[in-house]
Amino acid sequence: MAEPKTNELMEKIVSLCKRRGFIFQSSEIYGGINGFWDYGPLGAELKKNIRDRWWNDMVRQRDDVVGLESSIIMHPKVWEASGHVGGFTDPMVDCKASKQRFRADQIFFAAVVVDGKTVGYVSALESDRTTEDLQEKAETFKRKKAIQGKLELVQPKDFTEAKPEEVPLVPSPATGEPGSLTPPRGFNMMLETNVGALRDESSVAYLRPETAQGMFVDFKAIVDTGRVKIPFGIAQIGKSFRNEITPRNFIFRSREFEQMEMEYFISDEDDWQKWHRYWIDWCRNWLLSVGLPADLLSEYDHPKEKLAFYSKGTTDIMFRFPFGVQELWGIAARGDYDLSQHAKFSGAGLVYFDEASKRRYVPHVVEPAVGIDRILLAILCSAYCEDQAPDDKGKMETRVVLKFHPRIAPIKVAIFPLLKNKPELVKKAMAVRDLLRPYLTVFYDEAGAIGRRYRRQDEIGTPFGVTIDFDTLGEKPELLDTVTLRERDTMQQTRVKISELVPLLLEKIR
Ligand code: GAP
């Protein structure tokens, strides 16, 4: 069957998420609020499974990583020391005609060059076909203006690279007309609030834009507990907030999101590149373990000249979303910048004393940082699938399936009595539900034809279905106390003893 087109696919995913209770727009009954999302019953389960798995693999299964839950609002000086108050800005551009606001690095433009001469400019918002878009627009521009000569291939640049004389000539992506875009200017993305009874300069505080600073600020407290020795990591999962100029692509870039970050402290004399590579590989393998396909993942090394001055190297694990290849997980080698800054601003001695060498030093850091919402979106996009399957009358119809890895699927098993008006079947089905419930997330469904019930579970990604039929009750004596176990992806059914269900399912899910 043909693959749905990019936008069509995103529309289908967004609509399924709303229809089946994965993700809703926040405050929808009031018209929604841009950049904020709510996770419904299935979304909350899916998110929890991702969170729990990361915590288990990153913290519980390791001797060298400990967990932390720091507060969302911290002393405002934290954000001065970290550089966020001064420098956490995105370049922003306003369109004076449409009153729309864009991120400058998401507006692409190109000169329309005919026979070596610039005859105008075209622009397009970043997409996975920005260059093709600009080329088509350049051709249309030349045709409409009836310009004769050879059109050169466009050379796209983003708006942060626009020379001052180019700014008024670039058409606004909102109106298609030049002259309304402002030059890019810095826009601080920190969300502010006030703490205490007074609302003035002295009470300003910030909602954290990343969880990472909690780990640096609590470094000394954690070292003093005596449980850790370098190399070691501090991990945290929690909400972060950024006043993004252009929240977009569903939950990909939002203003409130949840991060899973880990700061791995190493000796100043250790080989940071070795640890950097180690954590890139760890993150990649972790993504594979929750079911993301290897062919949709890639790596992007940030060019040296674009790194922050303190950064030694940053590599992003990229994912091919339907709207283009985008950053999923950033792994940054941050040197001793953060601890040194906090030592300077707070006056606290954030040095580490190495017992073996009797040496004091400021540790260096390698940081894997990822957003749960982004992982969840990647999982949804790669799991969405349409195939053909017979309906109750044997006629082929389109089946929508979310092929979640059983490990992270929100519901692991659906329990179906074949008919709801047969009390013996219902009673047995409920007994099977109660047997499985302590071990797995189960969903009991007795409403409608069995084929329709299967489809409903396929669409929310439930990997297994257990049907209780007359053979379960002993109609064929040799099948007494057996059920059919249906697998979502193959739709194959096997007969299984009820007494063997729990170990069998636990094994399949692991
Ligand atoms: N402490 C480093 C840090 O926060 P970042 O690249 O700004 O680095 C890390 O963010 C990860 O957090 C990103 O790779 C992405 O997965 C997620 N993330 C960042 N901004 C986000 C947003 N506005 N919405 C959703 N996820 C976001």
Side-chain angles (χ1 to χ4, degrees), residues 236-248:
Q236 163 153 235
I237 299 180
K239 289 271 180 135
S240 294
F241 303 81
R242 297 183 188 179
N243 197 5
E244 296 280 358
I245 303 168
T246 48
R248 62 187 189 139

Side-chain angles (χ1 to χ4, degrees), residues 456-468:
R456 284 205 290 267
Q457 293 304 316
D458 292 341
E459 207 186 31
I460 60 167
T462 306
F464 305 106
V466 167
T467 308
I468 288 81

Side-chain angles (χ1 to χ4, degrees), residues 210 212 242 244 252-254 257 259 261 327-330 367 369-371 374:
E210 59 173 22
R242 297 183 188 179
E244 296 280 358
F252 176 81
R253 178 172 290 117
S254 22
F257 54 101
Q259 288 187 306
E261 298 196 278
E327 172 189 342
L328 186 56
W329 202 326
E367 172 199 74
V370 71
R374 235 175 240 195

Side-chain angles (χ1 to χ4, degrees), residues 230-275:
I230 275 186
F232 76 92
I234 310 177
Q236 163 153 235
I237 299 180
K239 289 271 180 135
S240 294
F241 303 81
R242 297 183 188 179
N243 197 5
E244 296 280 358
I245 303 168
T246 48
R248 62 187 189 139
N249 288 329
F250 197 25
I251 53 170
F252 176 81
R253 178 172 290 117
S254 22
R255 290 179 168 141
E256 174 178 336
F257 54 101
E258 194 167 337
Q259 288 187 306
M260 307 194 287
E261 298 196 278
M262 196 274 294
E263 308 301 321
Y264 199 71
F265 298 95
I266 59 174
S267 158
D268 57 342
E269 292 177 342
D270 204 344
D271 177 1
W272 68 266
Q273 277 165 313
K274 174 190 81 182
W275 285 112

Side-chain angles (χ1 to χ4, degrees), residues 88-213:
F88 192 52
T89 52
D90 262 352
M92 172 196 80
V93 173
D94 282 316
C95 167
K96 288 178 279 182
S98 69
K99 307 281 178 253
Q100 284 196 46
R101 181 163 280 185
F102 302 97
R103 258 176 64 170
D105 56 355
Q106 289 169 357
I107 300 179
F108 279 77
F109 73 100
V112 182
V113 182
V114 178
D115 288 342
K117 205 168 145 243
T118 298
V119 294
Y121 285 85
V122 286
S123 70
L125 284 178
E126 186 185 15
S127 72
D128 53 345
R129 55 185 311 278
T130 315
T131 307
E132 292 94 316
D133 251 14
L134 289 172
Q135 189 65 41
E136 282 164 24
K137 285 186 176 173
E139 279 157 21
T140 311
F141 181 94
K142 176 177 174 275
R143 199 174 53 249
K144 279 203 175 148
K145 302 252 171 200
I147 300 170
Q148 300 299 315
K150 185 170 174 298
L151 177 69
E152 293 181 12
L153 286 178
V154 293
Q155 305 289 331
K157 289 195 275 185
D158 78 52
F159 205 64
T160 59
E161 300 169 282
K163 297 188 194 121
E165 61 275 21
E166 286 178 316
V167 168
L169 305 175
V170 174
S172 157
T175 63
E177 296 298 324
S180 65
L181 292 180
T182 62
R185 58 179 191 278
F187 170 81
N188 193 296
M189 293 196 290
M190 300 268 279
L191 276 158
E192 275 184 27
T193 186
N194 293 81
V195 173
L198 281 179
R199 283 193 169 262
D200 62 12
E201 287 265 297
S202 70
S203 66
V204 168
Y206 303 96
L207 302 191
R208 68 178 173 204
E210 59 173 22
T211 59
Q213 295 306 318

